[in-house]
Structure formats: C-alpha cells, structure tokens
Amino acid sequence: NAGVMQNPRHLVRRRGQEARLRCSPMKGHSHVYWYRQLPEEGLKFMVYLQKENIIDESGMPKERFSAEFPKEGPSILRIQQVVRGDSAAYFCASSPHPTGELFFGEGSRLTVL
Amino acid sequence: QKEVEQNSGPLSVPEGAIASLNCTYSDRGSQSFFWYRQYSGKSPELIMSIYSNGDKEDGRFTAQLNKASQYVSLLIRDSQPSDSATYLCAVNMNPPTGGFKTIFGAGTRLFVKA
C-alpha cells in the first residue's frame, strides 16, 4: 500500500514563473491537506480539500495560489508568478476521514531564484 | 491567541530520562489530537493520536489529554538519542465556517544527550 506521493521532490523556479506541485493521497483517502513549512518553523495550514471540493482555504493567499483535487488524478497546488518568499517546503497529507490522522508525503521543496 | 501553542524549546534531557512535551489549544470543541515527530529535513510522522480525556500509552510514549484545561502532553520515557527531533502537536478543529481542519503547533525541539 503506497504512501502519500508528492512530486516533484525539488523544484527550482525563477521569479515570475509558475510552480505546480502534485500529491497523490494514500489509497482510500479522500481528504487532502496542504501545508507550508519554512526552515526552523512549524507547519502552516494552507488548504483542505475533499474530492472535487475545497473545504477550507483560509490559510492560502488569495492571489497567485490555487488548489484542486479532481475526481480523477492527484491534488495540485499551483503557485503563479512565484516570488522569493514562496521558497519553502510544501507538504501534502491525506486522511481517510475528516477528523482522522494525517499521513504525510515526503514534501516538495521549492526554491525561487 | 494562537490556535495551537507549544514551547519552542529546545528541551534538553539526558539519555534515559523522561521528556515532557506540552501543548495548549484554543478551540474548546476540538475532538481529535495528535503528536507527530519530525526529523530535520524529513516529513512529519505520526506518533500517537488521542481522542478521550486521560492517558494513552504506546511503548515508551504516553499521551495525556485534558479537554477542560485544553491541554495535551506527550511523555517519552527512557529517552534515547534517536528521539532527538522536533515534536509537533496537532489539533483537529471545527472552525466557525464549518467543517474541520487540522492545525499544527510550531513544534518543540528535543535534544537527548548521550
């Protein structure tokens, strides 16, 4: 039973480019979270999705950031027109139900030059 | 007030001692509580979950929950150098907008000295 799969593991972008991060949840999990982590800091909640629906996006900046979790395929976190401050590790986690334990992927580390 | 608060540490304990990690949360309606461990450069891994008041033991780890005080703790007995990591407290909350979401504290860095 494969765990949560994130790709790419490392991504380098220049300012103004787009970053697209993908997350495939564990089999049977329909709840997906995205978190952002800066070095030496905690996990900052960004968005919580359930298949085809955004449940809570209160932690995600309204400009430049978007997330989706389509009926088929992985969840996508998209950052348009990246800036240096977007450099961080982005972790995806999945759960089988709304109040359950989260299982994390290995993270995607974005570097903006 | 932060939604989930932890002492950032670092907390340093000698090998074989008990490490005590604490966490408070703001949402009185929260029902699910978790402790994660994160090694430097790695992703968080689940140590324990707790849903009811009282203690829950799993090997060297004991989670304690007091909903009246909005307080969760993690005890690590017989601490080992391999326990040196950042420990993250997580709370599944019911925001006013509805639904649920899991919020993490900033984490407590633990060092176990050999």
Side-chain angles (χ1 to χ4, degrees):
Chain A
N1 186 14
V4 177
M5 304 299 292
Q6 287 189 250
N7 68 82
R9 293 289 307 279
H10 300 275
L11 183 63
V12 179
R13 286 288 180 264
R14 297 191 180 280
R15 281 178 297 171
Q17 292 183 319
E18 177 180 292
R20 192 172 292 225
L21 310 177
R22 286 174 289 278
C23 170
S24 295
M26 288 181 69
K27 187 176 180 181
H29 289 194
S30 60
H31 302 265
V32 166
Y33 283 78
W34 285 94
Y35 293 89
R36 170 182 153 132
Q37 188 174 41
L38 294 171
E40 308 302 321
E41 294 190 10
L43 291 165
K44 181 177 180 298
F45 169 83
M46 296 184 73
V47 62
Y48 164 39
L49 311 101
Q50 191 180 358
K51 274 291 186 182
E52 300 186 84
N53 293 305
I54 295 175
I55 307 300
D56 189 320
E57 57 182 347
S58 59
M60 196 164 64
K62 295 198 183 320
E63 294 183 0
R64 303 190 299 109
F65 286 74
S66 63
E68 63 177 15
F69 188 15
K71 185 177 180 181
E72 301 292 336
S75 175
I76 306 284
L77 178 67
R78 184 182 176 205
I79 311 172
Q80 295 177 288
Q81 300 176 331
V82 297
V83 300
R84 289 218 174 104
D86 295 332
S87 296
Y90 292 84
F91 287 99
C92 170
S94 72
S95 179
H97 52 83
T99 60
E101 302 157 341
L102 298 183
F103 296 87
F104 282 83
E106 294 296 316
S108 292
R109 283 153 180 83
L110 172 65
T111 300
V112 180
L113 302 178
Chain B
Q1 181 187 8
K2 289 183 180 178
E3 293 173 299
V4 181
E5 291 207 57
Q6 296 181 253
N7 289 328
S8 60
L11 174 65
S12 184
V13 300
E15 184 175 358
I18 296 175
S20 178
L21 305 160
N22 305 314
C23 171
T24 58
Y25 59 94
S26 61
D27 180 10
R28 187 170 288 278
S30 299
Q31 298 295 323
S32 306
F33 307 86
F34 312 97
W35 283 99
Y36 287 81
R37 176 175 62 197
Q38 186 177 27
Y39 292 110
S40 181
K42 302 295 185 181
S43 60
E45 54 180 330
L46 181 70
I47 298 174
M48 291 190 72
S49 56
I50 186 166
Y51 304 94
S52 304
N53 279 329
D55 295 0
K56 179 181 178 183
E57 186 174 320
D58 184 0
R60 296 187 294 112
F61 299 96
T62 298
Q64 299 173 315
L65 174 60
N66 183 326
K67 290 183 181 179
S69 301
Q70 294 172 243
Y71 174 87
V72 193
S73 67
L74 179 70
L75 299 177
I76 307 174
R77 289 182 299 281
D78 188 23
S79 295
Q80 302 296 310
S82 58
D83 294 327
S84 299
T86 297
Y87 289 80
L88 302 166
C89 172
V91 179
N92 185 263
M93 300 183 165
N94 306 124
T97 50
F100 303 88
K101 64 180 179 182
T102 299
I103 300 298
F104 284 77
T108 299
R109 296 187 70 183
L110 173 66
F111 292 102
V112 180
K113 299 173 292 185

